[in-house]
Amino acid sequence: MLEKNILKKAFSTMATAKTMAELYEDNFKIVSKYVHATSRGHEAIQIAMAMHLLPQDYAFPYYRDDAMLLGIGMRPYDLMLQLMAKKDDPFSGGRTYYCHPSLKDSDKPKIPHQSSATGMQAIPATGAAMGFWYKENIGIQNDKELKPIVVCSLGDASVTEGEIAEAFQMAALKQLPILYLVQDNGWDISANAAETRAQNAFEYAKGFHGIEAISIDGANFTESYLALEKVVKTIREERRPFLVHAKVPLLNHHTSGVRMEWYRDDLEEAKSRDPYPVLIQQLLDAGFSKDEIQEIEHSVKTLVQQDFEKAQQAEDPKPEDLFTHDFAPSPITEEVGDRNPSREEKVVMVDCALFAVEELMKEHPECLLYGQDVGGRLGGVFREAATLAQKFGDERVFNTPIQEAFIVGSTVGMSAVGLKPIVEVQFADYIWPGLNQLFTEVSRSCYLSNGKWPVSMILRVPIGAYGSGGPYHSSSVESVLTNIRGIKIAYPSNGADLKGLMKAAYYDPNPVVILEHKGLYWSKVKGTDAARVNEPSEDYLLPFGKANIVQEIWEQETAETITVITYGMGVHWALNASSNIKNQVEIIDLRTLYPLDEVAIFKSVKKAKKCLVVTEEPTNNSFARSLAGLIQENCFKHLDAPVMVIGSENMPAIPLNSTLEFTMIPNVDKVRVKMEELLNY
């Protein structure tokens, strides 16, 4: 038997959640403007979980967890502000759906941004647990008497997602302090478990050696509370992962937009497992009178009604509120340090990045590096992490399994617990499994949490064609990445820029993708010697959004002139192609694709009167075509010719054969021909 104060608190919270769900149904025309779901049927396990959480813990709920949010101390009014997308919605400022929390209150568990994408929170949650694991292993963990845990709440249907397997794999492999709380109501939306699942989550977890799993009746508060009490205590002390499979009924609609009566054939059976009368009986068995129970219910209904009326009158966001918190402010706004100190010999581009990471790791214990094959045995397939594991240890520089989604998405949790992860996707061709996390979780966290949870991470991506890499090691992907709002993108052409941008990215509180051309890493490609540099000083920082004029011309009265706008390998093609006509060709190296230095671009184009955009990507529907359109739109009155673009041929992939590869991608001769065409236009 539980103590009476525990039962009373649980019942008050459950009555609140139930009353809110019923109020929403009674006022459907008012609240149905925006889609919402409720915890009805799931309340017992959610409240039991909430009652075991501490302010130092991290929770990753899902969209049916409103009872859990009430259980950690949120008021009905707080949730209703989000229900109606009001300006003072404490989670997102009216930007996202009901029960999509993001919370950073000092007296409550921390909740990073939660998306709607099914199961996607498992990887960020596991990343947070990996952050605790890392901090404990290198001795920078906080000194709380009770160590923090991470709770990841999931619906059973989400466990079929492949990214859940990646999260489970890492939790088991690293023995992370995380609890996966799986609420199994037997349904997806209209598809049920028999149709879509070969086994439930408890059975599935048995395949991950190192995750201990239990299955309980999640509709019974006392059973749930006692089971979670034991599990949470074990995780706090033993620092290992658990999965709790809680069987619950779904007593409300999937969402307000998908009504249960349209497809459900088990409603009567589900009602027979309602946790509400079960908890009432447990109160009666503990000595509560019916009058006491009714008084709690009456008090709750009064509060919920008052909060509902108050929330309706709350202020809506203003149009200008749309434009805040897309990024957190960066402290790096000016170029500082010595870009070109006197050195005995020049350094290749890959080593400039290596030295930048080494310097950062020496200075910042919260900096760590992980990805495929970056550990001590190899140090990266491009030797871009060589010696780092030996210098900083296997806890700070380590290999991951082959799971790009985890590599990218785990940075959300890592960042949330105060770390700065530098991660790597081995080739741009393999970034696709990570795009779900990059788009859904990483890029939107700052904006949809109303500025509370920017994701501070660096994603390194070796990119581009080099030395017959073939169709799966040669792709350019910048057009896809530049269509993801909320990330910054660098594409340097030389070692100095790479080092300066890497350092700036570290101090930027936002997610940064650095595209690093493989053909420039060692300057082995003919005509790329300019990528070698005198290594910049340790304090060198290069702000994002500042293009570089690598070849400058004066405005001329009679001679035809052009501006070449490019980046990465394109800079070297342009420099070599213009070697005999330098006084007619200005070359702008973008250095960062977002933010874009529009001021420098437009100024140069208006001076030269003609513009060529050079890219390695195929040109159809590309970033380069979009940039050409932007230039045309803003500089039209100054142009003496159409803005032209040169890039790779518009074929599905870069072939392995060297002749076909040469035919596919741009080169110095092709760029020179295009320059001459434009000059003679």
Side-chain angles (χ1 to χ4, degrees):
M1 182 71 69
L2 295 176
E3 295 177 9
K4 291 186 70 173
N5 65 316
I6 293 175
L7 290 169
K8 183 177 180 180
K9 181 179 179 181
F11 181 67
S12 178
T13 307
M14 188 181 293
T16 303
K18 178 176 179 288
T19 302
M20 290 165 63
E22 292 169 348
L23 182 70
Y24 299 164
E25 282 298 294
D26 293 342
N27 294 272
F28 185 73
K29 289 186 177 180
I30 295 174
V31 302
S32 62
K33 182 177 181 180
Y34 305 113
V35 174
H36 66 275
T38 74
S39 59
R40 194 69 190 93
H42 294 228
E43 302 99 325
I45 186 65
Q46 291 182 18
I47 295 165
M49 186 72 260
M51 293 175 74
H52 289 297
L53 293 175
L54 300 173
Q56 62 263 37
D57 296 330
Y58 277 65
F60 291 75
Y62 82 119
Y63 54 77
R64 200 174 300 286
D65 279 344
D66 60 358
M68 186 185 298
L69 297 177
L70 292 170
I72 64 169
M74 303 304 293
R75 301 169 301 162
Y77 179 67
D78 297 324
L79 305 188
M80 290 169 180
L81 288 172
Q82 190 173 52
L83 174 77
M84 301 179 199
K86 296 295 187 176
K87 179 182 176 68
D88 291 331
D89 153 30
F91 303 131
S92 72
R95 291 175 173 173
T96 194
Y97 302 98
Y98 180 71
C99 203
H100 285 57
S102 53
L103 196 65
K104 217 169 186 178
D105 292 359
S106 61
D107 62 338
K108 298 181 184 68
K110 308 304 174 280
I111 305 178
H113 156 253
Q114 297 301 291
S115 74
S116 294
T118 304
M120 293 303 99
Q121 70 272 33
I123 285 177
T126 308
M130 191 164 73
F132 288 141
W133 167 85
Y134 166 73
K135 291 166 82 171
E136 289 163 17
N137 273 280
I138 69 164
I140 62 171
Q141 179 58 55
N142 60 47
D143 57 358
K144 298 278 186 185
E145 182 179 347
L146 292 174
K147 289 183 178 179
I149 67 166
V150 177
V151 172
C152 177
S153 179
L154 299 157
D156 190 61
S158 72
V159 178
T160 58
E161 286 276 6
E163 293 185 19
I164 301 293
E166 294 193 17
F168 286 3
Q169 184 74 239
M170 283 299 287
L173 180 67
K174 298 287 188 183
Q175 287 295 283
L176 304 179
I178 186 168
L179 166 56
Y180 299 102
L181 176 63
V182 181
Q183 301 171 52
D184 183 2
N185 62 32
W187 289 93
D188 296 14
I189 297 180
S190 65
N192 62 30
E195 297 175 76
T196 59
R197 299 195 270 295
Q199 66 280 305
N200 65 35
F202 168 71
E203 296 161 337
Y204 183 59
K206 291 179 179 178
F208 295 89
H209 299 164
I211 297 180
E212 185 172 342
I214 63 171
S215 187
I216 63 172
D217 179 4
N220 184 312
F221 173 76
T222 297
E223 180 179 339
S224 298
Y225 186 93
L226 292 173
L228 289 173
E229 182 178 50
K230 182 178 179 181
V231 166
V232 168
K233 183 175 185 293
T234 303
I235 298 174
R236 289 199 195 281
E237 294 174 354
E238 299 182 14
R239 317 307 282 158
R240 59 189 178 92
F242 273 77
L243 182 141
V244 174
H245 170 251
K247 190 70 176 173
V248 294
L250 179 60
L251 301 181
N252 208 325
H253 313 289
H254 170 75
T255 65
S256 57
V258 184
R259 315 294 287 175
M260 57 187 173
E261 58 268 16
W262 295 347
Y263 61 90
R264 293 281 296 277
D265 55 9
D266 67 337
L267 292 175
E268 290 305 313
E269 187 276 334
K271 288 177 184 176
S272 71
R273 295 186 289 121
D274 188 341
Y276 194 76
V278 174
L279 183 52
I280 287 178
Q281 187 58 53
Q282 290 172 358
L283 264 70
L284 292 170
D285 292 344
F288 285 87
S289 69
K290 290 183 179 180
D291 287 344
E292 288 176 294
I293 293 171
Q294 289 174 356
E295 176 57 34
I296 294 172
E297 291 176 321
H298 175 75
S299 176
V300 161
K301 287 180 180 179
T302 300
L303 172 66
V304 169
Q305 183 64 42
Q306 289 173 346
D307 280 3
F308 184 66
E309 292 170 2
K310 182 181 175 184
Q312 288 182 71
Q313 301 304 315
E315 183 182 5
D316 284 318
K318 292 180 171 61
E320 56 266 27
D321 293 330
L322 174 69
F323 301 101
T324 60
H325 301 303
D326 51 341
F327 290 98
S330 172
I332 310 302
T333 57
E334 299 294 334
E335 186 173 3
V336 298
D338 191 345
R339 177 181 174 86
N340 189 28
S342 178
R343 305 280 193 187
E344 289 187 11
E345 57 184 33
K346 293 184 183 296
V347 176
V348 294
M349 190 166 161
V350 70
D351 284 346
C352 281
L354 174 65
F355 299 152
V357 174
E358 181 177 346
E359 289 165 3
L360 288 167
M361 295 188 79
K362 280 181 180 176
E363 187 174 351
H364 302 284
E366 68 276 11
C367 177
L368 69 165
L369 172 70
Y370 58 93
Q372 296 166 27
D373 298 305
V374 301
R377 191 174 292 113
L378 183 60
V381 295
F382 301 105
R383 303 295 287 158
E384 73 281 5
T387 74
L388 292 180
Q390 288 82 0
K391 290 175 180 176
F392 299 105
D394 294 334
E395 291 83 14
R396 293 190 70 185
V397 182
F398 59 89
N399 293 325
T400 65
I402 302 172
Q403 39 181 231
E404 288 80 6
F406 185 88
I407 292 168
V408 174
S410 61
T411 64
V412 176
M414 282 282 201
S415 172
V417 301
L419 301 175
K420 181 74 179 199
I422 302 174
V423 298
E424 179 185 305
V425 170
Q426 202 164 77
F427 291 90
D429 306 74
Y430 303 130
I431 198 172
W432 311 114
L435 284 187
N436 199 358
Q437 289 289 325
L438 188 64
F439 177 82
T440 305
E441 308 299 330
V442 174
S443 71
R444 296 180 167 196
S445 181
C446 185
Y447 187 68
L448 293 182
S449 69
N450 217 20
K452 291 190 294 295
W453 294 102
V455 178
S456 187
M457 59 87 86
I458 299 172
L459 172 59
R460 299 181 65 182
V461 183
I463 193 171
Y466 164 63
S468 297
Y472 295 102
H473 299 81
S474 306
S475 296
S476 294
V477 300
E478 58 263 33
S479 291
V480 173
L481 295 176
T482 51
N483 271 284
I484 299 176
R485 324 299 175 193
I487 60 174
K488 297 185 179 182
I489 304 167
Y491 201 146
S493 66
N494 59 77
D497 287 348
L498 178 52
K499 183 173 184 180
L501 290 167
M502 181 76 73
K503 287 290 190 75
Y506 183 83
Y507 297 110
D508 196 310
N510 301 288
V512 174
V513 178
I514 302 183
L515 304 175
E516 305 173 20
H517 200 291
K518 304 189 301 292
L520 300 177
Y521 265 160
W522 302 284
S523 291
K524 290 183 178 179
V525 176
K526 183 180 179 181
T528 61
D529 285 344
R532 295 175 180 261
V533 296
N534 290 331
E535 184 200 350
S537 61
E538 187 168 342
D539 62 347
Y540 181 62
L541 297 169
L542 182 60
F544 277 60
K546 302 289 186 182
N548 186 30
I549 305 175
V550 296
Q551 184 167 287
E552 189 171 11
I553 61 172
W554 302 109
E555 188 167 4
Q556 300 187 27
E557 295 294 331
T558 56
E560 295 295 309
T561 57
I562 64 173
T563 285
V564 176
I565 310 296
T566 188
Y567 52 92
M569 184 65 81
V571 173
H572 302 274
W573 291 329
L575 283 168
N576 288 282
S578 65
S579 59
N580 295 325
I581 48 173
K582 288 182 179 181
N583 63 330
Q584 292 178 270
V585 180
E586 182 152 294
I587 301 172
I588 303 295
D589 181 357
L590 294 177
R591 301 202 284 204
T592 64
L593 308 187
Y594 194 88
L596 189 65
D597 191 348
E598 295 181 8
V599 172
I601 294 168
F602 298 157
K603 181 179 179 181
S604 180
V605 172
K606 289 175 182 178
K607 174 173 64 175
K609 305 293 191 292
K610 295 179 179 180
C611 179
L612 175 64
V613 179
V614 179
T615 180
E616 189 172 315
E617 279 194 300
T619 56
N620 283 3
N621 305 310
S622 65
F623 166 77
R625 283 274 190 228
S626 175
L627 179 56
L630 178 71
I631 294 168
Q632 194 109 318
E633 183 177 333
N634 285 272
C635 303
F636 181 76
K637 293 180 180 179
H638 301 267
L639 291 170
D640 290 340
V643 178
M644 295 187 180
V645 179
I646 182 172
S648 291
E649 301 296 334
N650 292 295
M651 304 306 292
I654 297 176
L656 181 65
N657 177 272
S658 58
T659 300
L660 296 178
E661 180 191 60
F662 183 80
T663 305
M664 173 82 175
I665 64 175
N667 57 43
V668 173
D669 292 335
K670 291 179 183 179
V671 172
R672 182 183 296 115
V673 169
K674 199 69 176 178
M675 285 180 177
E676 291 170 351
E677 177 189 345
L678 187 55
L679 284 168
N680 294 323
Y681 185 89

